[in-house]
Amino acid sequence: MSQQTTIRKLAELVNAPVEKLLEQLAEAGMAFDGPDQVVTSIEKMKLLGFLKRAHGKGDKPAEDAAAPKKITLNRRKVQELTVGGGKTRSTVAVEVRQKRTYFKAGEMEAPPVSDEREDALRKLEESRQRNLTEQQKLAEDDKRRADEVAERKRLEEAAAAEKIVAVAVAEVEAREETTKPKPGHHGAPKPAPRAEAPRGEDRGTPKHKTRGSHAMVAGVEDDDSASRFAGQLHLSATDRARRSTARGKPKPKRQAEQARSGGGAHGFSRPTAPIVREIAIGDAITVADLAQKLALKGGDVVKTLFKMGVMATITQTIDHDTAVLVAEELGHTAVRAGGDDAEIELLAHAEEVQGDRTARPPVVTIMGHVDHGKTSLLDYIRRTKVASGEAGGITQHIGAYHVETDKGVISFLDTPGHAAFTQMRARGAKLTDIVILVVAADDGVMPQTIEAVQHAKAAKVPLIIAINKIDKSDADPSQVKNGLLAHDVVAEEFGGDTQFVEVSAKTGQGVDALLDAVLLQAEVLELTAVTDARATGVVIESSLDRGRGPVATVLVQQGTLKKGDYLVCGVQYGRVRALFDETGSQVPEAGPSIPVQVLGLSGVPDAGDDFVVVDDERLAKEVAQQRDIKRRESRMVAVPGNRMEDIMAQMGQQGEGQLALNLVIKADVQGSVQALREALTALSTDAIRINVIGSGVGGITESDANSAVTSKATIIGFNVRADATARRVVESNGVDLRYFSIIYDVIDQVKQVASGILGVEIREEIIGTAEVRDVFRSSKFGAVAGCMVVEGVVKRHKPIRVLRDSVVVFEGELESLRRFKENVDEVRNGTECGIGVKRYDDVKPGDQIECFERIEVQRTL
């Protein structure tokens, strides 16, 4: 038995709404009460016939005739094409429009010819005829112009020939006047002198023209004058005039005019006076460039310098004053080159910063003696630990943080306290609005405390004294107050204007009072800045990250720094690719008094450089290049040895037996490089001179090793390591390579060598290196690194360092060393093992775990 079809089921089969199907059945003359009624086959056929007639497929010729004969479809498609390559690559959007017409079957045999097509064909033919006419006209114009040029040239040649003949005729007539017969002593006529050749004639003038021009002259004389003309036609008008003057003959009028106008075929004459040039000279210039500007040979400039007592080669650089003396000695005028157009434009950029000034957070620098608790105090405020991540618990970089406290936003700069970081502390004092000087209550005023006071006074920054460690039993705050009183730091209770706050970084006592004092001092200072403007500020710290490139920590002082801004920073420039705050989170912008890390610079800027946001990359690049050229010129000029006296002085020093210790310094950040350079060069004495021949940020490369080989220098790696190629150069040439992580050790070792004190040296010797292949997570042991020992031996109970891209990221000790789930004491080269690092879970594949031991070595020179 076949299943009956209801209206609801039929609607599902034809994929149509039930209401629509009921309406169509009603229009076809069939009435139903609801969707659950049964539809018979006859009713289905009746509905189908109705629908065919309604859509033009039935037997309705009138409606069929009224149906459209054609359908026109307009289609539009957009594609993107890449044009060019490299920096010039660009993307172009291409839009394709199509128009298609579809005709009904049977109507396509004879499509009507449109009037638009006929108009288009007619216009095309007219355009072609017009182009042909214009081309013919242009060809006729070209031919006419060529004929005119040829005719003009022929007339000029004829006029020149007539001029030559006229000059010859004039001179012959003058000769006839001077050679008329005169009575002599015996009444005999004097012989006429030989005729001079006419002046001003060109070479190759035909003789017959000259003869034909004056037939009244006697035959012998005519032949004689013509031959003389032919012999001197190769001379210029100036030479002929000089010969004529030397023989005492007057110049013809036209000949004199030619001599005054320069004469000759080329129209120029030899200068009669020396040319005085105006030479633009910058701060420094090479001898070759100076010779080129003076239009002289390089040897001539070298000779002049030698006469002045300066020994220089043609490739050497001389300063501005020496170059001016050379130019004046050679008879020229020297002016200072003004290549500061981009700097002037940048200055105008900076002066345009205008707008409404709003209140900004204070920038607070925490200063003080080493180990007086600066970073610990800041940690308590931030509720994080920073000092534990520094080697030996000492801050060796400038840390920049902004803290949102209950009292308001405050930006903090944490500066190092060690004596080697004087430059970094001075830089921190210049950037700040308020200085918090931390003094330990149990230690009192120390040398770096006094130095911090001097920095703050030099920068004219208000001081707030935080007397730390008051929770200790031997704390004596009055000793601190009396000690600072000797350095003109007077507490408010003694009638001064300096706030003293007793705090404890360990328990948090007095920290709220310290923040209140900071915000109170900020209100007194009325700190404001323009927010809606181009950003300006200062670089606090910079480093080279192998994965991210040059990274600069900057402090925004005016305006708002945004992602995508173009900025110039010292001798570097670039576009801001990303901004990160102190927690490592990416931020879209940074306002006044907010420190951020900037990615996208062309190189590593120096700490302390100013940065300015500009409109476009062109201006930023020009300013950076001009600054780089000036810095390079001044550095070349600063190199001694150009003068004879300098060379003799150096020879005298060598005769006295002064030793030189050459160093190549590589560190992880720019501030450490500067601090090490300043500290080590200051150790020089009369007996030994310490030269830092090279320094930089990042791992030790092959170029650094080759430089050390050439200059016989010692390489110092401060929190960085040498790559494989550099190690091969070091091992093959016996270069002294030393790694350090604490600045005390660097200074102490160099100081002991420089002062000649021998003794036992604590040296770190790397005994093994393991490469992390994979990291496994364990609920019992935490992160376990699956490693392959690639060098030496990895021993248990030895200190280790974790290296990432040849830069130290953690220093600690092994928690466990396993091989096949068994604890072992050591694992040798070429063996796999599992390593658990104590208190460090951020080990990643590709890291290197370096195992070392500290040994005592007898010092030798």
Side-chain angles (χ1 to χ4, degrees):
M1 183 178 177
S2 63
Q3 189 176 2
Q4 294 179 342
T5 305
T6 62
I7 295 176
R8 189 184 304 277
K9 190 171 182 180
L10 180 63
E12 292 176 0
L13 292 174
V14 299
N15 195 17
V18 177
E19 293 77 5
K20 181 69 175 179
L21 189 58
L22 287 171
E23 291 178 4
Q24 291 175 345
L25 287 169
E27 291 174 358
M30 294 173 284
F32 290 90
D33 296 334
D36 296 325
Q37 284 188 320
V38 178
V39 183
T40 63
S41 301
I42 298 173
E43 290 171 339
K44 291 178 186 178
M45 295 301 295
K46 187 176 180 181
L47 175 62
L48 180 61
F50 168 75
L51 292 175
K52 284 184 177 181
R53 289 192 301 273
H55 290 82
K57 296 183 180 180
D59 302 328
K60 299 179 75 174
E63 293 181 3
D64 186 53
K69 299 292 190 295
K70 63 179 180 179
I71 299 174
T72 302
L73 301 178
N74 293 320
R75 295 182 178 177
R76 174 176 171 271
K77 182 168 66 174
V78 179
Q79 293 180 338
E80 290 188 352
L81 298 179
T82 301
V83 182
K87 293 184 178 179
T88 61
R89 186 172 65 180
S90 61
T91 303
V92 181
V94 178
E95 180 177 334
V96 180
R97 296 180 180 176
Q98 294 180 342
K99 182 177 180 181
R100 294 185 178 180
T101 303
Y102 297 92
F103 292 90
K104 187 177 179 181
E107 300 291 338
M108 195 174 170
E109 290 75 18
V113 180
S114 64
D115 295 336
E116 295 179 358
R117 180 177 176 83
E118 293 180 356
D119 293 341
L121 292 173
R122 185 175 66 256
K123 289 180 181 178
L124 183 62
E125 182 64 24
E126 291 176 356
S127 175
R128 191 174 65 82
Q129 293 293 336
R130 189 162 52 251
N131 289 338
L132 288 174
T133 305
E134 290 178 357
Q135 289 178 2
Q136 292 175 357
K137 185 178 179 181
L138 290 173
E140 292 174 358
D141 292 343
D142 292 341
K143 186 175 181 303
R144 187 176 65 256
R145 278 195 294 271
D147 294 341
E148 290 176 356
V149 170
E151 181 66 19
R152 190 181 306 113
K153 185 175 181 181
R154 186 182 64 78
L155 293 175
E156 289 176 355
E157 291 176 352
E162 292 177 0
K163 185 177 181 181
I164 292 170
V165 173
V167 172
V169 171
E171 187 159 345
V172 171
E173 289 177 352
R175 173 179 164 277
E176 289 176 353
E177 291 293 331
T178 58
T179 55
K180 286 184 179 180
K182 296 183 180 179
H185 296 287
H186 302 286
K190 289 185 179 180
R194 297 175 64 87
E196 287 291 330
R199 306 298 189 258
E201 289 194 28
D202 292 334
R203 173 182 284 185
T205 305
K207 296 180 183 179
H208 65 273
K209 286 188 179 181
T210 307
R211 292 196 185 98
S213 301
H214 24 78
M216 75 291 293
V217 186
V220 177
E221 293 180 70
D222 190 18
D223 292 340
D224 181 63
S225 63
S227 64
R228 293 185 67 81
F229 293 160
Q232 294 190 5
L233 284 177
H234 69 281
L235 297 176
S236 65
T238 306
D239 293 336
R240 285 196 290 271
R242 187 171 65 252
R243 292 191 182 186
S244 176
T245 305
R247 295 179 183 176
K249 294 187 178 182
K251 294 182 181 179
K253 183 177 180 181
R254 294 187 180 182
Q255 182 180 344
E257 291 176 356
Q258 282 188 351
R260 283 194 301 272
S261 64
H266 299 289
F268 63 85
S269 59
R270 185 176 180 178
T272 58
I275 299 175
V276 179
R277 292 181 172 84
E278 191 175 85
I279 310 300
I281 302 173
D283 293 336
I285 189 172
T286 62
V287 176
D289 293 341
L290 181 60
Q292 184 179 5
K293 291 187 175 184
L294 294 171
L296 294 173
K297 294 181 180 179
D300 296 338
V301 179
V302 172
K303 289 178 184 176
T304 305
L305 284 167
F306 190 79
K307 291 177 183 177
M308 295 169 59
V310 178
M311 294 182 65
T313 62
I314 196 169
T315 58
Q316 216 158 351
T317 303
I318 56 177
D319 58 9
H320 174 79
D321 296 335
T322 305
V324 169
L325 291 175
V326 172
E328 292 176 351
E329 181 72 18
L330 294 171
H332 299 280
T333 305
V335 295
R336 181 171 285 278
D340 294 335
D341 299 338
E343 288 282 1
I344 294 171
E345 189 175 349
L346 180 67
L347 190 61
H349 251 63
E351 290 177 353
E352 289 177 4
V353 177
Q354 295 178 356
D356 297 333
R357 303 183 72 87
T358 57
R360 65 172 176 84
V363 179
V364 179
T365 297
I366 298 184
M367 306 179 86
H369 191 72
V370 62
D371 200 27
H372 273 204
K374 301 180 299 298
T375 307
S376 299
L377 178 61
L378 183 59
D379 285 342
Y380 186 86
I381 299 172
R382 294 198 315 140
R383 296 292 193 277
T384 58
K385 294 295 179 185
V386 175
S388 59
E390 298 278 358
I394 317 161
T395 303
Q396 304 188 86
H397 309 144
I398 285 187
Y401 321 95
H402 75 279
V403 181
E404 296 183 2
T405 66
D406 298 336
K407 311 292 183 179
V409 178
I410 303 174
S411 293
F412 286 97
L413 299 181
D414 181 20
T415 62
H418 188 264
F421 295 95
T422 303
Q423 292 289 334
M424 296 174 73
R425 281 201 303 279
R427 189 162 62 242
K430 291 178 182 177
L431 302 178
T432 190
D433 302 315
I434 302 168
V435 169
I436 295 179
L437 179 58
V438 179
V439 186
D442 60 338
D443 205 7
V445 177
M446 301 299 287
Q448 273 72 56
T449 309
I450 301 170
E451 185 186 320
V453 172
Q454 294 171 351
H455 286 320
K457 287 185 176 181
K460 297 180 180 179
V461 178
L463 272 171
I464 297 176
I465 309 299
I467 304 176
N468 194 20
K469 302 184 181 181
I470 61 169
D471 56 314
K472 288 194 172 184
S473 58
D474 54 347
D476 188 3
S478 60
Q479 178 189 357
V480 175
K481 295 178 182 178
N482 293 328
L484 290 174
L485 194 60
H487 301 284
D488 296 332
V489 179
V490 185
E492 291 178 339
E493 59 186 88
F494 294 159
D497 56 355
T498 304
Q499 300 182 69
F500 279 70
V501 183
E502 298 180 3
V503 298
S504 172
K506 186 175 181 181
T507 63
Q509 178 183 351
V511 173
D512 291 337
L514 180 64
L515 296 178
D516 289 339
V518 169
L519 293 172
L520 177 62
Q521 186 66 53
E523 289 180 6
V524 173
L525 295 175
E526 296 181 354
L527 304 173
T528 58
V530 179
T531 305
D532 297 331
R534 281 188 290 267
T536 60
V538 184
V539 177
I540 301 172
E541 190 57 272
S542 59
S543 62
L544 183 63
D545 191 308
R546 196 165 182 179
R548 301 187 296 174
V551 180
T553 303
V554 302
L555 177 68
V556 182
Q557 293 178 314
Q558 294 285 343
T560 302
L561 182 63
K562 302 176 183 177
K563 183 179 178 181
D565 285 345
Y566 292 100
L567 76 161
V568 56
C569 185
V571 297
Q572 310 297 340
Y573 71 97
R575 188 177 187 183
V576 179
R577 289 194 288 109
L579 295 171
F580 296 92
D581 60 9
E582 64 272 9
T583 63
S585 303
Q586 193 164 348
V587 293
E589 60 183 27
S593 301
I594 301 299
V596 286
Q597 284 188 334
V598 177
L599 272 63
L601 293 175
S602 58
V604 180
D606 291 338
D609 284 347
D610 296 332
F611 78 86
V612 181
V613 172
V614 296
D615 284 338
D616 52 10
E617 189 177 10
R618 176 197 60 81
L619 177 59
K621 187 175 182 179
E622 288 180 1
V623 173
Q625 288 177 346
Q626 285 187 8
R627 289 178 178 176
D628 189 29
I629 290 171
K630 285 187 176 181
R631 182 176 294 186
R632 189 164 58 248
E633 289 176 349
S634 60
R635 188 166 58 244
M636 287 190 295
V637 171
V639 175
N642 286 342
R643 301 187 64 82
M644 290 182 180
E645 294 83 358
D646 299 332
I647 296 174
M648 297 302 293
Q650 291 178 12
M651 292 175 63
Q653 288 179 0
Q654 291 178 0
E656 295 171 2
Q658 185 183 28
L659 299 175
L661 175 60
N662 296 328
L663 301 175
V664 175
I665 299 174
K666 294 301 287 291
D668 53 347
V669 294
Q670 186 69 33
S672 297
V673 174
Q674 293 180 357
L676 283 168
R677 179 189 285 272
E678 295 288 338
L680 296 179
T681 53
L683 298 177
S684 298
T685 62
D686 295 336
I688 186 167
R689 186 176 70 256
I690 298 175
N691 297 326
V692 179
I693 62 169
S695 60
V697 176
I700 300 169
T701 62
E702 183 182 7
S703 175
D704 300 324
N706 289 328
S707 177
V709 170
T710 305
S711 57
K712 298 180 180 179
T714 299
I715 302 176
I716 293 177
F718 190 75
N719 279 336
V720 295
R721 295 293 180 268
D723 56 21
T725 55
R727 286 202 301 271
R728 282 197 293 269
V729 175
V730 167
E731 292 169 1
S732 60
N733 294 277
V735 177
D736 188 7
L737 171 61
R738 303 193 181 194
Y739 296 138
F740 297 93
S741 59
I742 300 177
I743 195 170
Y744 298 131
D745 298 339
V746 187
I747 297 172
D748 290 343
Q749 285 197 21
V750 175
K751 185 186 294 183
Q752 288 170 1
V753 172
S755 59
I757 300 175
L758 300 179
V760 176
E761 173 188 352
I762 305 299
R763 180 178 295 181
E764 294 178 356
E765 182 176 353
I766 300 172
I767 60 174
T769 304
E771 184 177 343
V772 180
R773 299 292 175 84
D774 202 353
V775 178
F776 307 94
R777 302 289 173 181
S778 170
S779 59
K780 184 177 180 182
F781 301 103
V784 177
C787 304
M788 170 68 75
V789 180
V790 293
E791 287 181 12
V793 181
V794 175
K795 295 183 179 181
R796 203 173 179 185
H797 306 302
K798 294 290 183 182
I800 61 155
R801 293 190 183 96
V802 180
L803 307 179
R804 187 169 298 156
D805 296 331
S806 298
V807 176
V808 178
V809 296
F810 178 78
E811 181 174 350
E813 61 181 354
L814 288 181
E815 187 173 29
S816 64
L817 182 64
R818 290 173 174 265
R819 173 135 175 87
F820 296 117
K821 297 185 179 181
E822 295 181 0
N823 288 323
V824 293
D825 292 329
E826 65 179 39
V827 179
R828 297 191 172 274
N829 184 15
T831 308
E832 294 181 345
C833 63
I835 295 177
V837 182
K838 195 172 184 179
R839 292 195 302 271
Y840 188 70
D841 293 329
D842 195 26
V843 180
K844 296 181 180 179
D847 290 352
Q848 288 184 330
I849 297 177
E850 183 183 82
C851 184
F852 65 95
E853 60 183 2
R854 293 183 174 93
I855 58 175
E856 294 183 355
V857 181
Q858 182 67 31
R859 291 191 178 93
T860 57
L861 281 176

